[in-house]
Amino acid sequence: MSSIPPEPKTPAEWLRYVQSEVITSIPSKQEQKTVQNSINERDIYLDESKIVKPPAQLWYAYTDVFALTQPEIIISPEAYGSMQIIARVLTADTPINLKVVPETICWIYLYASILHQPISVSVGDQEPLLLELGPATGNVGVKMIVTPDHIDLEYQQDYIRAVDEDLQASLNTQLRIALALFGGNTSIASSICSYVASVTANIALNFYSKINAQAVALGQQLEAQEMTGPDMRYAPILKID
């Protein structure tokens, strides 16, 4: 577990995290489902190769880390296409501009808890619009309505308020990662617990109540471990479904 940086901040460091033995041992990390003109994709690490030319008219991605490795990324969605990315971390080495080239109109939804670099979006010859995302903004996501000459931004203060089995599966995987990192990398494990708890915090949705309780409980156990110190033998008592 020593190969994992304590607090990764670049795509290369997050790749080391994903390729570490403790992460590769996690079951049910990846899944891709195709239904008519839509693809639902779930993984621990995805990058911009998925969005340059989205693989379907409707593409929904769920991942722990989404990496942007080029300063400018040109996105060419299908007409009336919709793309959604739900990630805990958006990582990059440099500030990023997403240049969208839509045929007519498209919709892009971007959710992230942690951003390592500023991200802007542009269309045509317009000046890039800086996305106001991250903990300091109070926004957890943004809905972008893009036409060939205009972008409307609708910021989201809450995560998806609907039953989503793919999101639940992704969050379960992330909690398994936090559990596996217990005692080795409490920084990432605590970040995951906080993220999962915040995504599932809407008490009106009983569908997520169990995973919310699991995230809160594991987060509390991690806090207890930090208080007792590294020399104390403290083991997690939580079972993740």
Side-chain angles (χ1 to χ4, degrees), residues 4-55:
I4 302 177
E7 294 185 7
K9 294 187 182 300
T10 66
E13 290 180 341
W14 281 111
L15 264 181
R16 285 172 56 192
Y17 157 80
V18 172
Q19 294 168 352
S20 66
E21 183 177 353
V22 67
I23 302 302
T24 56
S25 67
I26 301 294
S28 305
K29 298 184 296 293
Q30 301 168 313
E31 185 179 34
Q32 182 170 298
K33 297 189 298 187
T34 302
V35 181
Q36 295 181 343
N37 63 338
S38 71
I39 291 178
N40 291 8
E41 188 162 356
R42 180 167 59 85
D43 210 329
I44 295 177
Y45 180 100
L46 295 171
D47 63 27
E48 80 275 0
S49 64
K50 294 289 184 178
I51 64 174
V52 171
K53 189 72 175 177

mmCIF file of all heavy atoms in Angstrom, residues 4-55:
data_model
loop_
_atom_site.group_PDB
_atom_site.id
_atom_site.type_symbol
_atom_site.label_atom_id
_atom_site.label_comp_id
_atom_site.label_asym_id
_atom_site.label_seq_id
_atom_site.Cartn_x
_atom_site.Cartn_y
_atom_site.Cartn_z
ATOM 1 N N ILE A 4 0.878 3.936 -2.949
ATOM 2 C CA ILE A 4 -0.180 4.919 -3.149
ATOM 3 C C ILE A 4 0.230 6.231 -2.484
ATOM 4 O O ILE A 4 0.489 6.262 -1.284
ATOM 5 C CB ILE A 4 -1.513 4.436 -2.548
ATOM 6 C CG1 ILE A 4 -1.937 3.101 -3.161
ATOM 7 C CG2 ILE A 4 -2.597 5.482 -2.769
ATOM 8 C CD1 ILE A 4 -3.207 2.545 -2.562
ATOM 9 N N PRO A 5 0.298 7.327 -3.238
ATOM 10 C CA PRO A 5 0.593 8.617 -2.602
ATOM 11 C C PRO A 5 -0.461 8.927 -1.542
ATOM 12 O O PRO A 5 -1.639 8.605 -1.725
ATOM 13 C CB PRO A 5 0.520 9.607 -3.769
ATOM 14 C CG PRO A 5 0.713 8.782 -4.995
ATOM 15 C CD PRO A 5 0.115 7.447 -4.689
ATOM 16 N N PRO A 6 -0.073 9.541 -0.427
ATOM 17 C CA PRO A 6 -1.048 9.811 0.636
ATOM 18 C C PRO A 6 -2.193 10.708 0.177
ATOM 19 O O PRO A 6 -3.329 10.524 0.596
ATOM 20 C CB PRO A 6 -0.212 10.473 1.733
ATOM 21 C CG PRO A 6 1.036 10.939 1.051
ATOM 22 C CD PRO A 6 1.277 9.983 -0.065
ATOM 23 N N GLU A 7 -1.899 11.674 -0.690
ATOM 24 C CA GLU A 7 -2.937 12.560 -1.219
ATOM 25 C C GLU A 7 -2.652 12.827 -2.696
ATOM 26 O O GLU A 7 -2.071 13.855 -3.047
ATOM 27 C CB GLU A 7 -2.989 13.868 -0.428
ATOM 28 C CG GLU A 7 -3.430 13.690 1.019
ATOM 29 C CD GLU A 7 -3.593 15.018 1.741
ATOM 30 O OE1 GLU A 7 -3.491 16.067 1.076
ATOM 31 O OE2 GLU A 7 -3.828 15.001 2.953
ATOM 32 N N PRO A 8 -3.041 11.920 -3.585
ATOM 33 C CA PRO A 8 -2.775 12.109 -5.020
ATOM 34 C C PRO A 8 -3.398 13.403 -5.535
ATOM 35 O O PRO A 8 -4.502 13.777 -5.131
ATOM 36 C CB PRO A 8 -3.437 10.886 -5.660
ATOM 37 C CG PRO A 8 -3.555 9.883 -4.557
ATOM 38 C CD PRO A 8 -3.770 10.676 -3.314
ATOM 39 N N LYS A 9 -2.686 14.070 -6.446
ATOM 40 C CA LYS A 9 -3.184 15.341 -6.985
ATOM 41 C C LYS A 9 -3.023 15.452 -8.497
ATOM 42 O O LYS A 9 -3.342 16.492 -9.074
ATOM 43 C CB LYS A 9 -2.472 16.521 -6.312
ATOM 44 C CG LYS A 9 -2.779 16.655 -4.824
ATOM 45 C CD LYS A 9 -2.189 17.922 -4.240
ATOM 46 C CE LYS A 9 -2.454 18.022 -2.743
ATOM 47 N NZ LYS A 9 -3.884 18.041 -2.419
ATOM 48 N N THR A 10 -2.513 14.414 -9.150
ATOM 49 C CA THR A 10 -2.317 14.449 -10.599
ATOM 50 C C THR A 10 -2.826 13.146 -11.205
ATOM 51 O O THR A 10 -2.965 12.132 -10.502
ATOM 52 C CB THR A 10 -0.830 14.602 -10.948
ATOM 53 O OG1 THR A 10 -0.128 13.415 -10.538
ATOM 54 C CG2 THR A 10 -0.217 15.823 -10.270
ATOM 55 N N PRO A 11 -3.088 13.136 -12.514
ATOM 56 C CA PRO A 11 -3.491 11.884 -13.159
ATOM 57 C C PRO A 11 -2.492 10.751 -12.941
ATOM 58 O O PRO A 11 -2.890 9.605 -12.704
ATOM 59 C CB PRO A 11 -3.592 12.278 -14.639
ATOM 60 C CG PRO A 11 -3.980 13.721 -14.606
ATOM 61 C CD PRO A 11 -3.216 14.290 -13.439
ATOM 62 N N ALA A 12 -1.196 11.059 -13.003
ATOM 63 C CA ALA A 12 -0.183 10.018 -12.819
ATOM 64 C C ALA A 12 -0.247 9.426 -11.413
ATOM 65 O O ALA A 12 -0.128 8.205 -11.227
ATOM 66 C CB ALA A 12 1.207 10.584 -13.092
ATOM 67 N N GLU A 13 -0.435 10.277 -10.416
ATOM 68 C CA GLU A 13 -0.515 9.780 -9.040
ATOM 69 C C GLU A 13 -1.786 8.974 -8.817
ATOM 70 O O GLU A 13 -1.772 7.953 -8.115
ATOM 71 C CB GLU A 13 -0.446 10.952 -8.064
ATOM 72 C CG GLU A 13 0.923 11.604 -8.002
ATOM 73 C CD GLU A 13 0.984 12.773 -7.039
ATOM 74 O OE1 GLU A 13 -0.084 13.324 -6.685
ATOM 75 O OE2 GLU A 13 2.106 13.139 -6.637
ATOM 76 N N TRP A 14 -2.876 9.398 -9.434
ATOM 77 C CA TRP A 14 -4.114 8.621 -9.294
ATOM 78 C C TRP A 14 -4.025 7.294 -10.040
ATOM 79 O O TRP A 14 -4.642 6.304 -9.626
ATOM 80 C CB TRP A 14 -5.314 9.439 -9.765
ATOM 81 C CG TRP A 14 -5.775 10.437 -8.750
ATOM 82 C CD1 TRP A 14 -5.695 11.797 -8.821
ATOM 83 C CD2 TRP A 14 -6.368 10.148 -7.477
ATOM 84 N NE1 TRP A 14 -6.199 12.369 -7.682
ATOM 85 C CE2 TRP A 14 -6.623 11.385 -6.839
ATOM 86 C CE3 TRP A 14 -6.709 8.968 -6.811
ATOM 87 C CZ2 TRP A 14 -7.203 11.474 -5.577
ATOM 88 C CZ3 TRP A 14 -7.286 9.047 -5.542
ATOM 89 C CH2 TRP A 14 -7.530 10.287 -4.944
ATOM 90 N N LEU A 15 -3.263 7.244 -11.119
ATOM 91 C CA LEU A 15 -3.051 5.964 -11.800
ATOM 92 C C LEU A 15 -2.302 4.992 -10.892
ATOM 93 O O LEU A 15 -2.589 3.790 -10.871
ATOM 94 C CB LEU A 15 -2.282 6.172 -13.106
ATOM 95 C CG LEU A 15 -3.110 6.278 -14.388
ATOM 96 C CD1 LEU A 15 -2.197 6.465 -15.589
ATOM 97 C CD2 LEU A 15 -3.996 5.053 -14.583
ATOM 98 N N ARG A 16 -1.320 5.493 -10.160
ATOM 99 C CA ARG A 16 -0.612 4.644 -9.197
ATOM 100 C C ARG A 16 -1.582 4.096 -8.159
ATOM 101 O O ARG A 16 -1.493 2.931 -7.749
ATOM 102 C CB ARG A 16 0.502 5.438 -8.514
ATOM 103 C CG ARG A 16 1.728 5.681 -9.383
ATOM 104 C CD ARG A 16 2.692 6.639 -8.718
ATOM 105 N NE ARG A 16 3.098 6.182 -7.385
ATOM 106 C CZ ARG A 16 3.748 6.948 -6.510
ATOM 107 N NH1 ARG A 16 4.046 8.206 -6.825
ATOM 108 N NH2 ARG A 16 4.083 6.467 -5.332
ATOM 109 N N TYR A 17 -2.500 4.918 -7.748
ATOM 110 C CA TYR A 17 -3.545 4.501 -6.799
ATOM 111 C C TYR A 17 -4.390 3.378 -7.400
ATOM 112 O O TYR A 17 -4.587 2.323 -6.790
ATOM 113 C CB TYR A 17 -4.380 5.737 -6.469
ATOM 114 C CG TYR A 17 -5.790 5.533 -5.974
ATOM 115 C CD1 TYR A 17 -6.051 5.203 -4.651
ATOM 116 C CD2 TYR A 17 -6.875 5.752 -6.827
ATOM 117 C CE1 TYR A 17 -7.358 5.071 -4.194
ATOM 118 C CE2 TYR A 17 -8.177 5.628 -6.380
ATOM 119 C CZ TYR A 17 -8.415 5.281 -5.060
ATOM 120 O OH TYR A 17 -9.705 5.159 -4.613
ATOM 121 N N VAL A 18 -4.860 3.587 -8.635
ATOM 122 C CA VAL A 18 -5.741 2.612 -9.273
ATOM 123 C C VAL A 18 -5.017 1.296 -9.552
ATOM 124 O O VAL A 18 -5.606 0.216 -9.457
ATOM 125 C CB VAL A 18 -6.304 3.207 -10.590
ATOM 126 C CG1 VAL A 18 -7.061 2.156 -11.383
ATOM 127 C CG2 VAL A 18 -7.214 4.379 -10.280
ATOM 128 N N GLN A 19 -3.737 1.389 -9.888
ATOM 129 C CA GLN A 19 -2.970 0.197 -10.250
ATOM 130 C C GLN A 19 -2.328 -0.496 -9.055
ATOM 131 O O GLN A 19 -1.676 -1.532 -9.220
ATOM 132 C CB GLN A 19 -1.895 0.582 -11.272
ATOM 133 C CG GLN A 19 -2.479 1.044 -12.601
ATOM 134 C CD GLN A 19 -1.453 1.686 -13.516
ATOM 135 O OE1 GLN A 19 -0.302 1.924 -13.116
ATOM 136 N NE2 GLN A 19 -1.846 1.980 -14.749
ATOM 137 N N SER A 20 -2.514 0.048 -7.861
ATOM 138 C CA SER A 20 -1.933 -0.570 -6.670
ATOM 139 C C SER A 20 -2.630 -1.893 -6.365
ATOM 140 O O SER A 20 -3.781 -2.126 -6.751
ATOM 141 C CB SER A 20 -2.060 0.366 -5.469
ATOM 142 O OG SER A 20 -3.423 0.545 -5.126
ATOM 143 N N GLU A 21 -1.941 -2.750 -5.667
ATOM 144 C CA GLU A 21 -2.474 -4.084 -5.378
ATOM 145 C C GLU A 21 -3.766 -4.018 -4.575
ATOM 146 O O GLU A 21 -4.708 -4.783 -4.818
ATOM 147 C CB GLU A 21 -1.422 -4.899 -4.617
ATOM 148 C CG GLU A 21 -1.851 -6.333 -4.337
ATOM 149 C CD GLU A 21 -0.774 -7.143 -3.641
ATOM 150 O OE1 GLU A 21 0.357 -6.625 -3.505
ATOM 151 O OE2 GLU A 21 -1.058 -8.281 -3.228
ATOM 152 N N VAL A 22 -3.826 -3.089 -3.634
ATOM 153 C CA VAL A 22 -5.010 -3.014 -2.782
ATOM 154 C C VAL A 22 -6.251 -2.629 -3.584
ATOM 155 O O VAL A 22 -7.358 -3.115 -3.314
ATOM 156 C CB VAL A 22 -4.782 -2.027 -1.612
ATOM 157 C CG1 VAL A 22 -4.642 -0.599 -2.107
ATOM 158 C CG2 VAL A 22 -5.911 -2.124 -0.600
ATOM 159 N N ILE A 23 -6.093 -1.808 -4.620
ATOM 160 C CA ILE A 23 -7.241 -1.392 -5.427
ATOM 161 C C ILE A 23 -7.595 -2.452 -6.471
ATOM 162 O O ILE A 23 -8.773 -2.735 -6.710
ATOM 163 C CB ILE A 23 -6.973 -0.035 -6.108
ATOM 164 C CG1 ILE A 23 -6.663 1.036 -5.053
ATOM 165 C CG2 ILE A 23 -8.170 0.388 -6.949
ATOM 166 C CD1 ILE A 23 -7.746 1.245 -4.025
ATOM 167 N N THR A 24 -6.593 -3.054 -7.094
ATOM 168 C CA THR A 24 -6.886 -4.077 -8.107
ATOM 169 C C THR A 24 -7.561 -5.300 -7.504
ATOM 170 O O THR A 24 -8.195 -6.080 -8.223
ATOM 171 C CB THR A 24 -5.598 -4.509 -8.837
ATOM 172 O OG1 THR A 24 -4.637 -4.968 -7.874
ATOM 173 C CG2 THR A 24 -5.007 -3.351 -9.625
ATOM 174 N N SER A 25 -7.448 -5.473 -6.197
ATOM 175 C CA SER A 25 -8.089 -6.622 -5.548
ATOM 176 C C SER A 25 -9.568 -6.389 -5.250
ATOM 177 O O SER A 25 -10.280 -7.314 -4.853
ATOM 178 C CB SER A 25 -7.361 -6.950 -4.236
ATOM 179 O OG SER A 25 -7.537 -5.906 -3.290
ATOM 180 N N ILE A 26 -10.045 -5.164 -5.452
ATOM 181 C CA ILE A 26 -11.448 -4.845 -5.170
ATOM 182 C C ILE A 26 -12.339 -5.499 -6.227
ATOM 183 O O ILE A 26 -12.119 -5.328 -7.430
ATOM 184 C CB ILE A 26 -11.675 -3.317 -5.178
ATOM 185 C CG1 ILE A 26 -10.795 -2.631 -4.135
ATOM 186 C CG2 ILE A 26 -13.145 -2.982 -4.947
ATOM 187 C CD1 ILE A 26 -11.124 -2.967 -2.720
ATOM 188 N N PRO A 27 -13.378 -6.241 -5.827
ATOM 189 C CA PRO A 27 -14.261 -6.880 -6.817
ATOM 190 C C PRO A 27 -15.276 -5.895 -7.401
ATOM 191 O O PRO A 27 -15.539 -4.833 -6.829
ATOM 192 C CB PRO A 27 -14.971 -7.958 -5.993
ATOM 193 C CG PRO A 27 -15.022 -7.377 -4.605
ATOM 194 C CD PRO A 27 -13.733 -6.597 -4.445
ATOM 195 N N SER A 28 -15.830 -6.267 -8.530
ATOM 196 C CA SER A 28 -16.942 -5.531 -9.159
ATOM 197 C C SER A 28 -16.614 -4.062 -9.389
ATOM 198 O O SER A 28 -17.434 -3.176 -9.151
ATOM 199 C CB SER A 28 -18.208 -5.648 -8.295
ATOM 200 O OG SER A 28 -18.535 -6.992 -8.060
ATOM 201 N N LYS A 29 -15.406 -3.796 -9.894
ATOM 202 C CA LYS A 29 -14.985 -2.405 -10.102
ATOM 203 C C LYS A 29 -15.551 -1.815 -11.384
ATOM 204 O O LYS A 29 -15.748 -0.608 -11.483
ATOM 205 C CB LYS A 29 -13.454 -2.322 -10.168
ATOM 206 C CG LYS A 29 -12.728 -2.756 -8.922
ATOM 207 C CD LYS A 29 -11.240 -2.540 -9.051
ATOM 208 C CE LYS A 29 -10.618 -3.397 -10.145
ATOM 209 N NZ LYS A 29 -10.664 -4.832 -9.822
ATOM 210 N N GLN A 30 -15.755 -2.662 -12.387
ATOM 211 C CA GLN A 30 -16.094 -2.169 -13.718
ATOM 212 C C GLN A 30 -17.373 -2.816 -14.229
ATOM 213 O O GLN A 30 -17.639 -3.987 -13.974
ATOM 214 C CB GLN A 30 -14.953 -2.470 -14.700
ATOM 215 C CG GLN A 30 -13.620 -1.858 -14.313
ATOM 216 C CD GLN A 30 -12.483 -2.424 -15.138
ATOM 217 O OE1 GLN A 30 -12.376 -3.629 -15.314
ATOM 218 N NE2 GLN A 30 -11.639 -1.544 -15.656
ATOM 219 N N GLU A 31 -18.124 -2.024 -14.947
ATOM 220 C CA GLU A 31 -19.314 -2.559 -15.604
ATOM 221 C C GLU A 31 -19.729 -1.594 -16.704
ATOM 222 O O GLU A 31 -19.601 -0.376 -16.560
ATOM 223 C CB GLU A 31 -20.465 -2.743 -14.615
ATOM 224 C CG GLU A 31 -21.681 -3.404 -15.242
ATOM 225 C CD GLU A 31 -22.817 -3.607 -14.256
ATOM 226 O OE1 GLU A 31 -22.985 -2.757 -13.360
ATOM 227 O OE2 GLU A 31 -23.536 -4.603 -14.391
ATOM 228 N N GLN A 32 -20.206 -2.141 -17.802
ATOM 229 C CA GLN A 32 -20.741 -1.314 -18.882
ATOM 230 C C GLN A 32 -22.026 -1.953 -19.379
ATOM 231 O O GLN A 32 -22.057 -3.132 -19.713
ATOM 232 C CB GLN A 32 -19.735 -1.183 -20.024
ATOM 233 C CG GLN A 32 -20.232 -0.296 -21.165
ATOM 234 C CD GLN A 32 -19.146 0.011 -22.174
ATOM 235 O OE1 GLN A 32 -18.139 0.617 -21.859
ATOM 236 N NE2 GLN A 32 -19.348 -0.425 -23.405
ATOM 237 N N LYS A 33 -23.082 -1.158 -19.392
ATOM 238 C CA LYS A 33 -24.388 -1.649 -19.827
ATOM 239 C C LYS A 33 -24.878 -0.795 -20.991
ATOM 240 O O LYS A 33 -24.819 0.432 -20.934
ATOM 241 C CB LYS A 33 -25.396 -1.584 -18.672
ATOM 242 C CG LYS A 33 -25.044 -2.472 -17.490
ATOM 243 C CD LYS A 33 -26.177 -2.548 -16.479
ATOM 244 C CE LYS A 33 -26.500 -1.215 -15.878
ATOM 245 N NZ LYS A 33 -27.485 -1.319 -14.768
ATOM 246 N N THR A 34 -25.367 -1.471 -22.012
ATOM 247 C CA THR A 34 -25.912 -0.779 -23.177
ATOM 248 C C THR A 34 -27.406 -1.047 -23.269
ATOM 249 O O THR A 34 -27.839 -2.205 -23.254
ATOM 250 C CB THR A 34 -25.225 -1.252 -24.470
ATOM 251 O OG1 THR A 34 -23.821 -1.018 -24.365
ATOM 252 C CG2 THR A 34 -25.777 -0.507 -25.676
ATOM 253 N N VAL A 35 -28.177 0.028 -23.333
ATOM 254 C CA VAL A 35 -29.625 -0.078 -23.487
ATOM 255 C C VAL A 35 -30.041 0.873 -24.601
ATOM 256 O O VAL A 35 -29.987 2.097 -24.437
ATOM 257 C CB VAL A 35 -30.364 0.273 -22.179
ATOM 258 C CG1 VAL A 35 -31.867 0.133 -22.376
ATOM 259 C CG2 VAL A 35 -29.885 -0.596 -21.029
ATOM 260 N N GLN A 36 -30.410 0.307 -25.749
ATOM 261 C CA GLN A 36 -30.780 1.093 -26.925
ATOM 262 C C GLN A 36 -29.672 2.099 -27.262
ATOM 263 O O GLN A 36 -28.571 1.705 -27.599
ATOM 264 C CB GLN A 36 -32.142 1.760 -26.692
ATOM 265 C CG GLN A 36 -33.278 0.746 -26.554
ATOM 266 C CD GLN A 36 -34.627 1.388 -26.352
ATOM 267 O OE1 GLN A 36 -34.743 2.560 -26.009
ATOM 268 N NE2 GLN A 36 -35.683 0.621 -26.572
ATOM 269 N N ASN A 37 -29.953 3.399 -27.145
ATOM 270 C CA ASN A 37 -28.954 4.402 -27.538
ATOM 271 C C ASN A 37 -28.189 4.971 -26.348
ATOM 272 O O ASN A 37 -27.620 6.060 -26.428
ATOM 273 C CB ASN A 37 -29.629 5.546 -28.304
ATOM 274 C CG ASN A 37 -30.639 6.291 -27.447
ATOM 275 O OD1 ASN A 37 -31.133 5.756 -26.456
ATOM 276 N ND2 ASN A 37 -30.946 7.522 -27.836
ATOM 277 N N SER A 38 -28.168 4.249 -25.231
ATOM 278 C CA SER A 38 -27.467 4.746 -24.047
ATOM 279 C C SER A 38 -26.468 3.718 -23.531
ATOM 280 O O SER A 38 -26.654 2.507 -23.690
ATOM 281 C CB SER A 38 -28.460 5.106 -22.936
ATOM 282 O OG SER A 38 -29.040 3.938 -22.393
ATOM 283 N N ILE A 39 -25.398 4.226 -22.924
ATOM 284 C CA ILE A 39 -24.394 3.387 -22.272
ATOM 285 C C ILE A 39 -24.187 3.903 -20.856
ATOM 286 O O ILE A 39 -23.961 5.103 -20.649
ATOM 287 C CB ILE A 39 -23.054 3.401 -23.035
ATOM 288 C CG1 ILE A 39 -23.196 2.670 -24.377
ATOM 289 C CG2 ILE A 39 -21.949 2.747 -22.201
ATOM 290 C CD1 ILE A 39 -21.924 2.679 -25.211
ATOM 291 N N ASN A 40 -24.276 3.011 -19.891
ATOM 292 C CA ASN A 40 -23.945 3.317 -18.502
ATOM 293 C C ASN A 40 -22.618 2.637 -18.193
ATOM 294 O O ASN A 40 -22.501 1.415 -18.315
ATOM 295 C CB ASN A 40 -25.023 2.795 -17.550
ATOM 296 C CG ASN A 40 -26.330 3.554 -17.689
ATOM 297 O OD1 ASN A 40 -26.491 4.370 -18.590
ATOM 298 N ND2 ASN A 40 -27.263 3.295 -16.804
ATOM 299 N N GLU A 41 -21.637 3.420 -17.788
ATOM 300 C CA GLU A 41 -20.291 2.893 -17.566
ATOM 301 C C GLU A 41 -19.836 3.199 -16.144
ATOM 302 O O GLU A 41 -19.976 4.322 -15.665
ATOM 303 C CB GLU A 41 -19.311 3.502 -18.568
ATOM 304 C CG GLU A 41 -17.938 2.867 -18.531
ATOM 305 C CD GLU A 41 -17.126 3.162 -19.781
ATOM 306 O OE1 GLU A 41 -17.672 3.800 -20.709
ATOM 307 O OE2 GLU A 41 -15.955 2.759 -19.825
ATOM 308 N N ARG A 42 -19.287 2.173 -15.500
ATOM 309 C CA ARG A 42 -18.844 2.311 -14.112
ATOM 310 C C ARG A 42 -17.414 1.802 -13.994
ATOM 311 O O ARG A 42 -17.068 0.745 -14.511
ATOM 312 C CB ARG A 42 -19.782 1.511 -13.200
ATOM 313 C CG ARG A 42 -19.462 1.560 -11.739
ATOM 314 C CD ARG A 42 -20.621 1.005 -10.922
ATOM 315 N NE ARG A 42 -20.949 -0.366 -11.256
ATOM 316 C CZ ARG A 42 -20.334 -1.433 -10.735
ATOM 317 N NH1 ARG A 42 -19.341 -1.264 -9.872
ATOM 318 N NH2 ARG A 42 -20.706 -2.653 -11.068
ATOM 319 N N ASP A 43 -16.566 2.582 -13.295
ATOM 320 C CA ASP A 43 -15.164 2.201 -13.125
ATOM 321 C C ASP A 43 -14.596 2.975 -11.942
ATOM 322 O O ASP A 43 -15.281 3.814 -11.345
ATOM 323 C CB ASP A 43 -14.368 2.500 -14.397
ATOM 324 C CG ASP A 43 -13.201 1.541 -14.597
ATOM 325 O OD1 ASP A 43 -12.634 1.076 -13.582
ATOM 326 O OD2 ASP A 43 -12.852 1.263 -15.756
ATOM 327 N N ILE A 44 -13.336 2.716 -11.619
ATOM 328 C CA ILE A 44 -12.657 3.484 -10.574
ATOM 329 C C ILE A 44 -11.925 4.675 -11.175
ATOM 330 O O ILE A 44 -11.828 5.736 -10.561
ATOM 331 C CB ILE A 44 -11.675 2.587 -9.791
ATOM 332 C CG1 ILE A 44 -12.446 1.510 -9.029
ATOM 333 C CG2 ILE A 44 -10.845 3.410 -8.807
ATOM 334 C CD1 ILE A 44 -11.553 0.533 -8.292
ATOM 335 N N TYR A 45 -11.435 4.506 -12.413
ATOM 336 C CA TYR A 45 -10.656 5.563 -13.074
ATOM 337 C C TYR A 45 -11.062 5.620 -14.544
ATOM 338 O O TYR A 45 -11.022 4.612 -15.245
ATOM 339 C CB TYR A 45 -9.165 5.247 -12.943
ATOM 340 C CG TYR A 45 -8.216 6.253 -13.569
ATOM 341 C CD1 TYR A 45 -7.576 7.214 -12.793
ATOM 342 C CD2 TYR A 45 -7.924 6.219 -14.933
ATOM 343 C CE1 TYR A 45 -6.684 8.118 -13.351
ATOM 344 C CE2 TYR A 45 -7.038 7.121 -15.503
ATOM 345 C CZ TYR A 45 -6.416 8.068 -14.705
ATOM 346 O OH TYR A 45 -5.532 8.962 -15.258
ATOM 347 N N LEU A 46 -11.465 6.800 -14.989
ATOM 348 C CA LEU A 46 -11.748 7.041 -16.400
ATOM 349 C C LEU A 46 -11.024 8.317 -16.808
ATOM 350 O O LEU A 46 -10.661 9.138 -15.962
ATOM 351 C CB LEU A 46 -13.260 7.199 -16.637
ATOM 352 C CG LEU A 46 -14.141 5.969 -16.378
ATOM 353 C CD1 LEU A 46 -15.615 6.349 -16.436
ATOM 354 C CD2 LEU A 46 -13.838 4.856 -17.376
ATOM 355 N N ASP A 47 -10.827 8.493 -18.130
ATOM 356 C CA ASP A 47 -10.174 9.722 -18.579
ATOM 357 C C ASP A 47 -10.902 10.312 -19.781
ATOM 358 O O ASP A 47 -11.936 9.800 -20.213
ATOM 359 C CB ASP A 47 -8.690 9.492 -18.879
ATOM 360 C CG ASP A 47 -8.460 8.503 -20.016
ATOM 361 O OD1 ASP A 47 -9.339 8.369 -20.886
ATOM 362 O OD2 ASP A 47 -7.394 7.864 -20.037
ATOM 363 N N GLU A 48 -10.333 11.405 -20.329
ATOM 364 C CA GLU A 48 -11.038 12.164 -21.360
ATOM 365 C C GLU A 48 -11.203 11.418 -22.671
ATOM 366 O O GLU A 48 -11.965 11.850 -23.541
ATOM 367 C CB GLU A 48 -10.340 13.505 -21.616
ATOM 368 C CG GLU A 48 -9.119 13.440 -22.516
ATOM 369 C CD GLU A 48 -7.857 13.096 -21.758
ATOM 370 O OE1 GLU A 48 -7.933 12.908 -20.533
ATOM 371 O OE2 GLU A 48 -6.789 13.026 -22.379
ATOM 372 N N SER A 49 -10.514 10.297 -22.843
ATOM 373 C CA SER A 49 -10.697 9.521 -24.072
ATOM 374 C C SER A 49 -12.151 9.083 -24.231
ATOM 375 O O SER A 49 -12.611 8.822 -25.350
ATOM 376 C CB SER A 49 -9.780 8.290 -24.066
ATOM 377 O OG SER A 49 -10.121 7.405 -23.006
ATOM 378 N N LYS A 50 -12.878 9.040 -23.129
ATOM 379 C CA LYS A 50 -14.281 8.633 -23.167
ATOM 380 C C LYS A 50 -15.205 9.747 -23.648
ATOM 381 O O LYS A 50 -16.320 9.478 -24.098
ATOM 382 C CB LYS A 50 -14.726 8.187 -21.770
ATOM 383 C CG LYS A 50 -14.036 6.931 -21.272
ATOM 384 C CD LYS A 50 -14.518 5.712 -22.026
ATOM 385 C CE LYS A 50 -13.918 4.435 -21.482
ATOM 386 N NZ LYS A 50 -14.438 3.247 -22.191
ATOM 387 N N ILE A 51 -14.772 11.001 -23.536
ATOM 388 C CA ILE A 51 -15.684 12.102 -23.840
ATOM 389 C C ILE A 51 -15.349 12.839 -25.130
ATOM 390 O O ILE A 51 -16.154 13.643 -25.602
ATOM 391 C CB ILE A 51 -15.752 13.110 -22.671
ATOM 392 C CG1 ILE A 51 -14.390 13.778 -22.438
ATOM 393 C CG2 ILE A 51 -16.244 12.431 -21.412
ATOM 394 C CD1 ILE A 51 -14.434 14.883 -21.394
ATOM 395 N N VAL A 52 -14.164 12.600 -25.698
ATOM 396 C CA VAL A 52 -13.807 13.265 -26.949
ATOM 397 C C VAL A 52 -14.857 12.950 -28.017
ATOM 398 O O VAL A 52 -15.337 13.834 -28.733
ATOM 399 C CB VAL A 52 -12.401 12.828 -27.410
ATOM 400 C CG1 VAL A 52 -12.115 13.335 -28.814
ATOM 401 C CG2 VAL A 52 -11.349 13.344 -26.433
ATOM 402 N N LYS A 53 -15.208 11.698 -28.109
ATOM 403 C CA LYS A 53 -16.295 11.249 -28.983
ATOM 404 C C LYS A 53 -17.124 10.277 -28.157
ATOM 405 O O LYS A 53 -16.832 9.077 -28.104
ATOM 406 C CB LYS A 53 -15.736 10.561 -30.231
ATOM 407 C CG LYS A 53 -16.788 10.256 -31.297
ATOM 408 C CD LYS A 53 -17.261 11.515 -31.999
ATOM 409 C CE LYS A 53 -18.211 11.179 -33.145
ATOM 410 N NZ LYS A 53 -18.734 12.400 -33.792
ATOM 411 N N PRO A 54 -18.143 10.764 -27.459
ATOM 412 C CA PRO A 54 -18.909 9.893 -26.567
ATOM 413 C C PRO A 54 -19.372 8.625 -27.278
ATOM 414 O O PRO A 54 -19.776 8.671 -28.447
ATOM 415 C CB PRO A 54 -20.093 10.776 -26.155
ATOM 416 C CG PRO A 54 -19.568 12.167 -26.271
ATOM 417 C CD PRO A 54 -18.643 12.148 -27.449
ATOM 418 N N PRO A 55 -19.292 7.468 -26.604
ATOM 419 C CA PRO A 55 -19.584 6.187 -27.252
ATOM 420 C C PRO A 55 -21.056 5.950 -27.555
ATOM 421 O O PRO A 55 -21.395 4.963 -28.204
ATOM 422 C CB PRO A 55 -19.071 5.162 -26.230
ATOM 423 C CG PRO A 55 -19.139 5.870 -24.918
ATOM 424 C CD PRO A 55 -18.842 7.303 -25.213
#
